[in-house]
Structures are given as structure tokens and as C-alpha cells.
Amino acid sequence: MDDEAKHRTDTRAAIIEAAAALLGESGPGAVTTRGVAQRAGVQAPAIYRLFGDKDGLMDAVAEHVMAAFVARKAARAASAAAANTDPLDDLRTSWREQIEFGLTHPAVFRLLSDPERAPGSPAARAGREILQARVHRLAAAGLLRVPEPLAVDLIHAAGVGTVQILLATPPERRDPAMGEAMMDAVFARILPDAPSAATDSTRVLAVALRAVAPDLETLSVPERHLLIEWLDRIAVPR
């Protein structure tokens, strides 16, 4: 990297760090061009050159904060998988961390939960992939009674909705048990009952086998595809 490119990269990083600090300390209103420039030790025009406008800067800041959070989650998920910890406990911990992150970083959460922005966010996509991996561990352990994609969608929707409701409620009126109540409601939908009904047991087995079917090398590729198709039919709730 030449000196000019390094200077540009360093300047961009300094601006993002300054804006992220202001956002965390005082909210979106504190993230002004002048305030960010002063904190980062740069001239205001540098912000426009690097980010185009304030919206561009806010997008970069949200991505930066979210990426750091997702990196920590990825490390914990990898550690949990390597240690073969209880996949349900792992998912519960992840849920609580996600709710806490949304409440602690409301501006970032609102930006990245926007349907117009989320699909273009590498950090948001990475976060969903981590959730998919955690749900896959549940399925492989025989602890899931709905197809993996449906479980991922339900958990994601419930988590986003919970944070949105809590953020829309004055802090003094927020129910601290709401996150746990919503988590239990979602888990009641995606986890098998105990004891399971016969139909429920069949779905659990189908979902578990579906989780490992792509890796069954004793079957040919066409046979695996056919097996997956059959298992998907069995696993879908009716």
C-alpha cells in the first residue's frame, strides 16, 4: 500500500471511530460533520470525500459497530461448536446478547434492521450465517421440529420485533422479562414437546436427518438430493 492509500485508509478509520464514539455517547444528533471532524482531527471536507454525505458516514459507522459485535459472536459460536456445548444453551446466550446489543446500540440497530439497508450489509449477513450455524447444531442434535430456514426466520423476526418494541417503550416502562418471554415463545414453536407426539417425533427425526443428509457420502449425489426432497416434505409443519 502506497503512502497516499495508507493515509486515506487511516483517515477513514479515524473518522469512523470518532463518529462511532459520538454515536455511542450521545446518540445520532451528536454525529455532526463538525463534531466528527474535530474528534477525528481532520478537516470536514475529508468526510464528504470519503463518505459522500452524513448518511454514507452513518452507514459506515453502523457496519463498523455491527462487524465488531458479529466477530465476537462468531468466535464464541466457533468455540461452542468445538467444545460441543449444549446447542440450546448456546442459542439462548446468543439471543440474550442480541437483545442487549440492540438496546445498547439503538441507532445502529435501527439502521441495520431497515429492510432497505440490511441486505447490503456484510455484517448483517454474517450475523445471519452465525444464527444459521447455531440452528443447524440444534437440528443435528435432534432438537428441532421445524425446518432450519423456518426456525432461523422465526428467531430473527422475534428478536428484531422484541428490540423494536422495547426501544419504542420509555426505559422506565420497559418489561425486563419481555426478551425471555419472547424467547420462550419462539422456542416452544421450534423445539419438540416432551414427551413428543408421534407426528412431532417424525418431524424431529426428519429435521435431524436433513441436517446431515448433504454429507452422507454413502449415497450418490442424486440419491442425496432425493432424500433431502423427501425429508423437506416430512419436516414442513401442516
Side-chain angles (χ1 to χ4, degrees):
M1 182 182 297
D2 58 33
D3 290 344
E4 182 177 351
K6 184 177 185 304
H7 176 72
R8 181 183 178 88
T9 299
D10 290 346
T11 300
R12 189 176 191 280
I15 292 171
I16 290 175
E17 290 286 354
L22 289 170
L23 182 66
E25 292 168 4
S26 306
V31 187
T32 63
T33 302
R34 181 177 180 180
V36 172
Q38 288 181 340
R39 183 135 183 175
V42 301
Q43 297 297 313
I47 296 175
Y48 295 103
R49 286 197 304 271
L50 291 169
F51 302 97
D53 54 21
K54 184 179 176 180
D55 282 346
L57 173 59
M58 291 299 289
D59 283 344
V61 170
E63 188 69 21
H64 170 74
V65 176
M66 184 66 173
F69 172 65
V70 168
R72 294 193 296 272
K73 288 189 71 172
R76 284 192 289 270
S79 176
N84 198 28
T85 59
D86 186 315
L88 185 53
D89 287 345
D90 183 37
L91 186 57
R92 286 184 182 278
T93 298
S94 176
W95 169 280
R96 291 167 181 143
E97 290 173 346
Q98 191 71 38
I99 300 299
E100 182 181 0
F101 175 82
L103 297 178
T104 306
H105 302 85
V108 171
F109 171 81
R110 291 187 176 106
L111 281 170
L112 293 182
S113 61
D114 181 346
E116 297 291 327
R117 297 175 186 263
S121 165
R125 290 197 299 272
R128 188 174 179 86
E129 289 169 2
I130 295 169
L131 174 58
Q132 290 169 339
R134 285 189 159 110
V135 169
H136 182 73
R137 288 189 68 214
L138 275 182
L143 297 175
L144 201 62
R145 69 171 175 181
V146 300
E148 292 179 49
L150 177 57
V152 170
D153 286 344
L154 288 172
I155 295 168
H156 178 73
V160 170
T162 298
V163 175
Q164 287 177 334
I165 291 297
L166 289 172
L167 289 178
T169 305
E172 68 276 8
R173 292 177 50 203
R174 290 175 186 168
D175 181 357
M178 179 179 286
E180 294 294 306
M182 183 61 77
M183 177 177 64
D184 289 341
V186 174
F187 285 3
R189 177 67 180 85
I190 68 174
L191 302 178
D193 296 329
S196 298
T199 301
D200 200 34
S201 293
T202 300
R203 288 192 186 126
V204 171
L205 292 171
V207 172
L209 183 55
R210 172 64 174 83
V212 299
D215 301 321
L216 296 176
E217 296 183 356
T218 54
L219 300 179
S220 67
V221 172
E223 287 171 338
R224 273 177 268 171
H225 288 167
L226 184 58
L227 175 60
I228 287 170
E229 180 181 342
W230 288 341
L231 292 171
D232 283 341
R233 290 185 196 175
I234 296 170
V236 174
R238 299 187 186 279

